[in-house]
Amino acid sequence: MPLQRRLPKGGFKNPFRIEYSVVNLDRLLESFPKSESISLEEIYSAGFGKKGMPVKILARGSVSTSVRVEAHKFSKQAIEKITQAGGQAIAMEGEQSAADNE
């Protein structure tokens, strides 16, 4: 049997990939309905991700009140929804800050 058929086949695993805990706006705002500010520690304590794992906020749902949200990363639509409601989306750890696009 030829060598290329005898050797095991393997794929590529990127060692630099960053795994995010993904949270949608609707679930986040259901858990903190009266909050004006949602910190990263509150997101971890609510069980939306393991401590130390980066958190990304996605745009599913709507924002009706002004809220300040801290996370490692945001989707573009989530930033738009938060800022249109008068809130702030604050990206942590050297990421681009999307707060106050006024």
Side-chain angles (χ1 to χ4, degrees):
M1 183 164 306
L3 179 65
Q4 71 267 18
R5 292 188 62 195
R6 284 183 281 164
L7 294 177
K9 308 298 185 277
F12 175 75
K13 183 165 177 129
N14 186 355
F16 303 107
R17 179 181 173 161
I18 299 173
E19 290 280 333
Y20 288 94
S21 295
V22 179
V23 182
N24 284 301
L25 279 174
D26 57 353
R27 290 189 60 209
L28 188 66
L29 296 176
E30 284 175 7
S31 297
F32 304 101
K34 303 289 183 186
S35 292
E36 294 178 6
S37 177
I38 302 172
S39 70
L40 198 54
E41 292 299 320
E42 292 172 336
I43 292 172
Y44 288 140
S45 66
F48 289 122
K50 293 181 182 177
K51 185 143 176 95
M53 190 171 187
V55 176
K56 183 172 183 176
I57 306 295
L58 300 181
R60 188 180 74 193
S62 62
V63 181
S64 58
T65 60
S66 174
V67 65
R68 180 179 181 262
V69 182
E70 294 179 3
H72 291 97
K73 204 167 188 181
F74 292 87
S75 68
K76 290 179 185 178
Q77 292 84 10
I79 293 170
E80 289 174 8
K81 287 182 180 185
I82 292 170
T83 54
Q84 284 177 357
Q88 294 179 334
I90 300 174
M92 306 296 288
E93 293 187 36
E95 295 284 335
Q96 287 184 359
S97 178
D100 288 326
N101 291 338
E102 296 174 13

